[in-house]
Amino acid sequence: MKLNEAIGKRVQELLEKKNISQYYLYKMGGVPRTTINDIVNVRKKRVSTDTIYQICSTLGLTLEEFFADKIFKDIDD
């Protein structure tokens, strides 16, 4: 799995786990809706650290907690 795919899956998983919509994440965190959608649907080849940080802050996570998930163990980028 590529890094951008893992990031997209992780964001989607967190949204579902916290019962939060992409729209809510956009409204509360300031990340453009299209960017969130592109990340979740793996339409972006690269996701900036700033964007991931904004998403994490909105969801109440640290970057360490975000990347500690097992999904990032098998990256073949």
Side-chain angles (χ1 to χ4, degrees):
M1 175 180 306
K2 296 195 180 290
L3 180 59
N4 64 331
E5 294 170 330
I7 291 170
K9 286 184 182 212
R10 178 71 169 138
V11 170
Q12 183 62 39
E13 170 191 285
L14 289 166
L15 291 175
E16 289 172 4
K17 182 178 179 180
K18 294 180 177 272
N19 200 26
I20 294 174
S21 67
Q22 290 181 21
Y23 180 77
Y24 176 85
L25 187 59
Y26 148 70
K27 288 302 265 185
M28 298 309 289
V31 177
R33 236 172 37 176
T34 54
T35 300
I36 296 166
N37 191 275
D38 287 348
I39 291 169
V40 169
N41 292 302
V42 194
R43 286 191 213 110
K44 283 193 162 290
K45 289 190 176 196
R46 303 198 191 288
V47 183
S48 78
T49 310
D50 289 339
T51 300
I52 297 169
Y53 178 78
Q54 281 184 281
I55 291 170
C56 288
S57 292
T58 305
L59 297 175
L61 296 170
T62 64
L63 287 171
E64 182 179 5
E65 291 169 324
F66 182 85
F67 285 110
D69 192 83
K70 65 181 186 239
I71 198 167
F72 295 104
K73 302 253 188 265
D74 295 317
I75 300 299
D76 51 270
D77 236 8

